[in-house]
Amino acid sequence: MYRVMLVDDEAGVRSSIKAKIDWHAAGYRIDSEASNGAEALQPLSERPLPDVLITDVRMPRLDGIDLIKTCKEAYPGLRIIVLSGYSDFEYMKATIQLGVKDYLLKPVVRGELTALLARLAEELEADREREREQAQEELKQNQPLQMMQEQLLWRLVKDEWFSIPAVKERMQRLQLAALAEEGVRAQFVTAEMRIPPGRLDDWNERKDLLHLAFRMICRETAEKRGSIYTIYEVSHPAMMHFLIHLEETRRPQGFTESFVRELKRNIKTFLRLESVVGIGEPINGLRRTQGRLCVQYAGVESRHRVYGQGGGRRNDAGHGACLYAGSGAEADAGH
């Protein structure tokens, strides 16, 4: 369903246009209205951008020409339909100079409006298809990089590196330079998806799909926040680890807790499953132990608590290591 903003200083004209056709059947809905250009600019900047703007050219305060000019600069992808009368030749010439190609003469004819919207719908769908293809292509290109980033972070956690300069150089190449800075503040979080006994009736195929969905939700939730790095270890498919870069100038207080709440909510909403989350203490710098760049990691105990001390112990269910940085502190996995 494509969204439309309708701008005209005459309420009767707006009502007439809304009554001309079955907008829903045409694949559109009138999402917002305004009586002049100035009134239209505020919702354009504050709400999700409509797909189509239908605007008159003669209006008080801010006319259609200035509105179109502003939209062309701020929202170049917005489709614009101009409404004009036979006496508005100079206005129409100005809109053509601004690159507007679609217009309707007042009073609007039902057939012309229907035909124009149908053509725009085809163009909008083609745009969306190109965006989907571009997103898929970017995903394909980014997947190898993401896998190498996760492998590097996992090796750091397991303390498998011996040369700090080599690690930092590798981080630079894998676009992880922000984590290689001196005194970087970071925090580890681990989420474990819990599948109740009998939920899948031993259908391993469905379990694999559930694990895939779990990983996708975790990654999408992290990507929306920015500077949260995911780490997945294939031997523990029901767990996902996160390295959160705590940039003091950008991160609000409680950022990690807010992320955890959103993550748990998404898992519950989309997978209908509960999750256990362990939160580690913030640390200054990826810890150096015996000259190595590394961090501690500890097990998720069966009573669902995460401990700073521990040598990678596993719980009774055989679940893998819960990443954790810090010493002696304790975080409730029920966050």
Side-chain angles (χ1 to χ4, degrees), residues 106-290:
K106 294 181 179 180
V108 175
V109 178
R110 179 181 291 106
E112 293 178 355
L113 176 59
T114 302
L116 179 53
L117 291 175
R119 178 170 60 78
L120 286 181
E122 292 179 358
E123 295 178 5
L124 289 166
E125 182 56 34
D127 287 347
R128 290 188 177 182
E129 182 60 30
R130 281 193 294 271
E131 290 173 1
R132 285 192 289 266
E133 291 175 356
Q134 183 179 353
Q136 289 175 354
E137 185 61 31
E138 290 176 355
L139 180 62
K140 289 179 183 178
Q141 293 176 356
N142 291 334
Q143 276 181 338
L145 174 63
Q146 186 179 53
M147 290 175 61
M148 289 188 289
Q149 287 177 335
E150 292 186 3
Q151 289 171 2
L152 173 62
L153 292 174
W154 187 246
R155 293 185 70 180
L156 286 173
V157 169
K158 295 176 70 176
D159 194 11
E160 292 182 355
W161 286 89
F162 293 85
S163 169
I164 294 176
V167 171
K168 291 189 173 182
E169 181 183 352
R170 181 73 170 163
M171 281 183 160
Q172 293 281 352
R173 289 205 302 268
L174 295 182
Q175 300 178 23
L176 295 172
L179 296 178
E181 297 175 0
E182 292 294 330
V184 63
R185 296 186 72 248
Q187 189 168 22
F188 283 96
V189 171
T190 291
E192 181 180 13
M193 175 181 64
R194 292 296 172 90
I195 305 175
R199 172 73 177 270
L200 299 180
D201 296 327
D202 297 326
W203 290 6
N204 289 325
E205 294 84 358
R206 289 186 60 189
K207 185 178 290 187
D208 292 343
L209 290 174
L210 198 59
H211 288 154
L212 175 61
F214 169 68
R215 294 197 300 274
M216 291 177 65
I217 288 172
C218 287
R219 286 187 170 126
E220 288 175 5
T221 306
E223 285 173 3
K224 286 196 304 182
R225 297 278 179 147
S227 297
I228 299 181
Y229 304 88
T230 55
I231 307 174
Y232 171 68
E233 212 282 313
V234 68
S235 60
H236 306 293
M239 299 184 76
M240 183 67 81
H241 314 294
F242 306 88
L243 175 61
I244 301 177
H245 187 192
L246 299 176
E247 301 158 291
E248 289 188 43
T249 58
R250 293 172 53 192
R251 293 290 189 229
Q253 189 172 6
F255 175 84
T256 298
E257 290 75 9
S258 173
F259 164 68
V260 167
R261 285 194 297 270
E262 182 182 5
L263 179 64
K264 289 174 69 69
R265 183 170 61 249
N266 289 346
I267 293 171
K268 188 167 187 176
T269 300
F270 296 108
L271 300 182
R272 299 291 190 267
L273 292 174
E274 296 297 327
S275 57
V276 176
V277 178
I279 304 177
E281 278 188 336
I283 57 168
N284 291 316
L286 296 177
R287 299 172 67 86
R288 296 187 183 192
T289 303
Q290 298 178 351

Side-chain angles (χ1 to χ4, degrees), residues 72 79-82 92 95-96 98-104 116 119 123:
K72 284 290 183 180
R79 292 292 199 285
I80 300 174
I81 299 174
V82 172
M92 289 303 302
T95 63
I96 292 171
L98 289 172
V100 175
K101 295 181 288 185
D102 301 309
Y103 63 91
L104 293 168
L116 179 53
R119 178 170 60 78
E123 295 178 5

Side-chain angles (χ1 to χ4, degrees), residues 2 7-9 26 29 32 48 53-54 66 69 105 108 119 156 161 182 187 216 222 231 250 252 308 314:
Y2 300 112
V7 186
D8 196 296
D9 60 317
R29 74 169 187 266
S32 54
L53 171 69
I54 301 177
D66 289 330
K69 193 179 298 184
L105 289 176
V108 175
R119 178 170 60 78
L156 286 173
W161 286 89
E182 292 294 330
Q187 189 168 22
M216 291 177 65
I231 307 174
R250 293 172 53 192
R314 299 176 183 273

